[in-house]
Amino acid sequence: NVYWVGNVLAFFTAPVIDGIEIPMYGNFIQGIIVKINPDGTIQWIICVLSENVTAALSKIDRIDIDSSGNLVMLGTFTGQVDMDGDILTSSGDTEDAFIAKADSDGNLLWGFSFGSEFGRNIVGDIVANSDDEIFVSTVWTGNSIVVGNFTEENPDAEVLSNYDRLIAKFSSDGSPVWTSRGFGRGRFHHRACG
């Protein structure tokens, strides 16, 4: 199977992929994942829908497959996104990050968000290990970033365009296990972890 990860924007009409209409909520950017069978037919489409709020968007940037065949995803959003009943709300007007898990049939199982109230997140990568634990890397700005009960402080937040990095471990059910930040002053861009 092949997974296509991307974002769609619809103005007035819903986009169609291979004859399947993508559900849209308003004229916002929506993150989608398309599972394509080996014969080239679409098996299913997941669309991360944004609620009808100002400047809402959702983007899915990275995916991985865990040992059970579930799909784990990493993306960013503003406003609110609906993860099949789990409503995630961003902490401010800038992009927060989210992780989510879907089963091999395309059913969303859970979603979890984290972010910096006065900063933004740039996703790095997501990896599921053989125990289905999930590791995430992001780059963020702001005074602090909150991941569940963990808070990481950015001592150089006042420096213009100062980015900090975050690596976090989550259990297979999406609960944060630990976080780590680092390096301080500078800009960090990375695309791999695990």
Side-chain angles (χ1 to χ4, degrees):
N1 294 312
V2 173
Y3 295 90
W4 179 81
V5 180
N7 310 296
V8 294
L9 174 61
F11 287 105
F12 308 111
T13 60
V16 177
I17 297 176
D18 199 25
I20 300 173
E21 184 175 301
I22 298 172
M24 297 294 292
Y25 195 88
N27 294 326
F28 303 114
I29 296 173
Q30 308 294 325
I32 65 168
I33 298 175
V34 180
K35 183 177 182 179
I36 303 169
N37 291 326
D39 66 4
T41 59
I42 292 177
Q43 184 172 349
W44 49 254
I45 298 173
I46 294 175
C47 186
V48 178
L49 299 174
S50 294
E51 295 293 318
N52 191 15
V53 294
T54 304
L57 67 90
S58 64
K59 297 184 288 187
I60 301 172
D61 295 290
R62 301 283 186 266
I63 61 170
D64 196 17
I65 308 297
D66 71 14
S67 68
S68 303
N70 296 314
L71 183 75
V72 293
M73 63 194 86
L74 173 66
T76 56
F77 75 103
T78 60
Q80 293 183 319
V81 293
D82 183 352
M83 296 289 182
D84 200 38
D86 285 339
I87 304 297
L88 308 180
T89 302
S90 62
S91 56
D93 293 333
T94 57
E95 294 177 52
D96 276 5
F98 71 85
I99 64 170
K101 182 184 274 190
D103 65 21
S104 61
D105 293 324
N107 301 305
L108 284 168
L109 303 174
W110 52 259
F112 181 85
S113 64
F114 56 96
S116 177
E117 184 175 4
F118 301 108
R120 65 182 290 240
N121 282 278
I122 301 168
V123 300
D125 215 343
I126 187 167
V127 173
N129 68 13
S130 60
D131 294 325
D132 296 338
E133 298 166 317
I134 302 162
F135 296 85
V136 170
S137 65
T138 67
V139 176
W140 59 282
T141 63
N143 295 326
S144 62
I145 189 167
V146 177
V147 182
N149 293 326
F150 299 96
T151 301
E152 297 290 346
E153 302 292 332
N154 183 351
D156 296 319
E158 297 78 29
V159 178
L160 183 63
S161 297
N162 184 48
Y163 289 81
D164 211 341
R165 67 129 180 104
L166 174 82
I167 296 175
K169 178 182 178 181
F170 296 85
S171 65
S172 64
D173 68 359
S175 301
V177 176
W178 54 256
T179 61
S180 176
R181 66 150 294 273
F183 306 140
R185 231 175 258 278
R187 295 184 74 127
F188 301 96
H189 297 278
H190 48 90
R191 290 293 181 220
C193 69

